[in-house]
Amino acid sequence: MSKTLVVVVPDVDTLAATVASRLVAKIVDAQAERGSAGVVLTGGRIAKRVLAALPGLPEAAAVNWSQVDLYWGDERFLPAGDPERNETQAREALLDALPLDPARVHAMPAADGPDGEDAEAAAARYAQELHLGGADLPPFDVLMLGVGEDGHVASLFPEHPVLNETASTTAAVHNSPKPPPTRITLTMPAIQSAYEVWLIAAGPDKSDAIGRALNGDKLLPAAQATGTVKTYWLLDKAAAAAVN
Ligand SMILES: O=C1O[C@H](COP(=O)(O)O)[C@@H](O)[C@H](O)[C@H]1O
């Protein structure tokens, strides 16, 4: 039975440091158990802060970075290297400085990649990459998600048809209410396959959506994002203001 836990810390800096530290511990534990770890990264402001906080942690020295598989929960479908791509932001904040195995960095395709601007083909290509080892998705030890002011996670937005996609593990998103309009995302069943889902949010603008999601308002994608073992809500005090 999956458990939901809420962790509240005083402010955004403490949140970034706390999540970074928990992430390192999780990777170290997964590597101790299985030899490798699978981490799904998120985009957005809190993601950048978490990744930037990681190198300052002494415990980060315990990670074998060559045995970490990195995936993304969603991507803004833009050309490679575009500063708005979640991949570009993660590389700049941390990844370029780590001794990762490039074959284990599973970025979502860019809009100038092999499929050009065909977002459906690019999403299908990413699904193929995820399923390379067989029919199942790879093990996602931790899947991190930022939470939008509207309660979106990854690129799954409230009332958008892709939220109901269950036939595939990835999808193209058109007409996203948040720019850019075209995106690629893991679908909700793919998110729900992770052992642990961590929903991370800071600031007062998120408090309403977080309060609603934690009260079980399933119209919000954030309320549907759960891990098979645990679901953590990692919040600063401002974001947790409506949590009762
Ligand atoms: O566009 C996106 O936004 C969300 C939330 O970002 P934030 O800046 O409000 O923290 C993010 O989780 C998602 O990955 C990204 O594509």
Side-chain angles (χ1 to χ4, degrees):
M1 171 80 179
S2 174
K3 252 192 178 174
T4 297
L5 299 160
V6 181
V7 176
V8 182
V9 301
D11 53 53
V12 66
D13 288 331
T14 313
L15 182 66
T18 303
V19 177
S21 175
R22 296 176 78 103
L23 179 60
V24 166
K26 199 71 223 170
I27 293 172
V28 170
D29 281 1
Q31 290 184 333
E33 232 174 272
R34 231 187 27 251
S36 65
V39 175
V40 184
L41 300 173
T42 183
R45 290 158 291 177
I46 192 62
K48 273 200 270 184
R49 296 180 86 127
V50 168
L51 296 182
L54 204 145
L57 302 171
E59 61 265 38
V63 173
N64 177 355
W65 292 107
S66 70
Q67 297 298 314
V68 178
D69 282 288
L70 292 178
Y71 307 91
W72 271 262
D74 75 313
E75 189 51 274
R76 299 156 178 178
F77 196 52
L78 296 165
D82 189 292
E84 289 300 315
R85 266 179 70 80
N86 292 335
E87 177 198 357
T88 311
Q89 295 180 358
R91 286 191 184 280
E92 283 172 2
L94 177 69
L95 307 189
D96 286 348
L98 295 177
L100 293 161
D101 175 353
R104 288 178 169 246
V105 180
H106 309 275
M108 288 184 164
D112 58 353
D115 304 300
E117 293 190 0
D118 184 342
E120 272 71 19
R125 183 179 295 278
Y126 198 63
Q128 260 178 15
E129 180 161 351
L130 293 179
H131 293 280
L132 257 194
D136 292 338
L137 283 165
F140 297 150
D141 293 293
V142 179
L143 185 148
M144 292 185 286
L145 294 170
V147 182
E149 288 81 356
D150 57 356
H152 82 264
V153 291
S155 287
L156 298 171
F157 293 88
E159 293 180 35
H160 192 288
V162 171
L163 182 55
N164 303 316
E165 172 63 55
T166 53
S168 57
T169 48
T170 65
V173 176
H174 298 282
N175 305 314
S176 155
K178 179 179 178 181
T182 308
R183 291 157 169 262
I184 297 177
T185 189
L186 296 188
T187 58
M188 193 55 82
I191 289 172
Q192 291 167 341
S193 76
Y195 296 128
E196 291 193 6
V197 167
W198 297 2
L199 296 118
I200 311 161
D205 298 351
K206 312 263 166 127
S207 64
D208 178 55
I210 285 157
R212 283 174 58 198
L214 275 166
N215 273 328
D217 182 347
K218 292 281 193 266
L219 291 176
L220 298 191
Q224 301 180 31
T226 50
T228 59
V229 180
K230 274 186 191 154
T231 307
Y232 281 101
W233 287 80
L234 302 161
L235 310 170
D236 78 349
K237 222 173 150 191
V243 176
N244 40 39

